[in-house]
């Protein structure tokens, strides 16, 4: 009987510790904007900021980032880029493939001089999507 209690206790402790090492980060969006290249390959203007309340999950165990928009955007992380920091920003970047297999770079940028506001940038060759995000 004592052996069974010890086994069950160790099992629960093991499961609890396993969850501790799970790295899943949850964010909500408050708005987004898009920047596109024109026919000549030049960057245009950012679109007006549209208010939007979406969930974003960064799951390093599953190596993915998911934006729960009307059409779910699933980004498989192919490579983790070393953290960058300067006087104004802290940047975590990831080389990814989206639902369609297109390569893109996602960056979570913390703006130090803007009350540590966070933004998620989704960078493609021909357009960039930015979401204003906050941790939940």
């Amino acid at each position: 009987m004592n052996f069974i209690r010890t086994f069950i206790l160790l099992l629960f402790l093991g499961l609890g510790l396993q969850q501790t090492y799970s790295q899943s980060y949850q964010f909500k969006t408050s708005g987004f904007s898009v920047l596109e290249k024109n026919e000549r390959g030049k960057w245009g203007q950012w679109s007006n900021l549209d208010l939007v309340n979406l969930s974003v999950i960064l799951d390093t165990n599953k190596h993915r980032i998911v934006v729960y928009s009307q059409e779910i955007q699933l980004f498989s992380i192919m490579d983790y880029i070393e953290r960058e920091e300067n006087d104004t920003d802290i940047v975590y970047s990831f080389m990814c493939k989206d639902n369609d297999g297109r390569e893109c770079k996602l960056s979570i940028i913390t703006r130090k001089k803007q009350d540590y506001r966070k933004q998620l940038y989704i960078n493609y060759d021909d357009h960039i999507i930015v979401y204003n995000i906050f941790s939940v």
Side-chain angles (χ1 to χ4, degrees), residues 64-75:
R64 68 183 188 182
I65 298 170
V66 183
V67 179
Y68 289 94
S69 55
Q70 187 171 354
E71 183 177 321
I72 293 176
Q73 302 169 63
L74 173 63
F75 301 95

Side-chain angles (χ1 to χ4, degrees), residues 23-25 27 56-66 73-82 92-99 102-108 120:
Q23 296 294 322
S24 183
Y25 303 92
F27 303 95
V56 176
I57 306 291
L58 164 59
D59 188 335
T60 58
N61 274 351
K62 295 181 180 176
H63 306 290
R64 68 183 188 182
I65 298 170
V66 183
Q73 302 169 63
L74 173 63
F75 301 95
S76 298
I77 299 172
M78 309 310 289
D79 191 22
Y80 294 80
I81 298 172
E82 191 172 327
Y92 293 91
S93 294
F94 314 88
M95 292 307 299
C96 299
K97 285 196 177 179
D98 67 12
N99 305 40
R102 292 180 60 197
E103 290 187 10
C104 53
K105 179 180 177 182
L106 275 69
S107 298
I108 297 174
L120 170 64

Side-chain angles (χ1 to χ4, degrees), residues 28-32 49-54 68-69 131-132 134:
K28 286 285 191 181
T29 66
S30 60
F32 81 100
L49 185 71
D50 286 329
L51 301 180
V52 65
N53 181 12
L54 305 173
Y68 289 94
S69 55
Y131 289 98
N132 290 328
F134 56 93

Side-chain angles (χ1 to χ4, degrees), residues 3 7 12 40 64 79 86 89-90 95 123 127 135:
F3 172 75
F7 176 76
F12 281 116
R40 296 184 307 237
R64 68 183 188 182
D79 191 22
N86 56 40
D89 300 320
I90 302 169
M95 292 307 299
N123 295 280
H127 70 283
S135 300

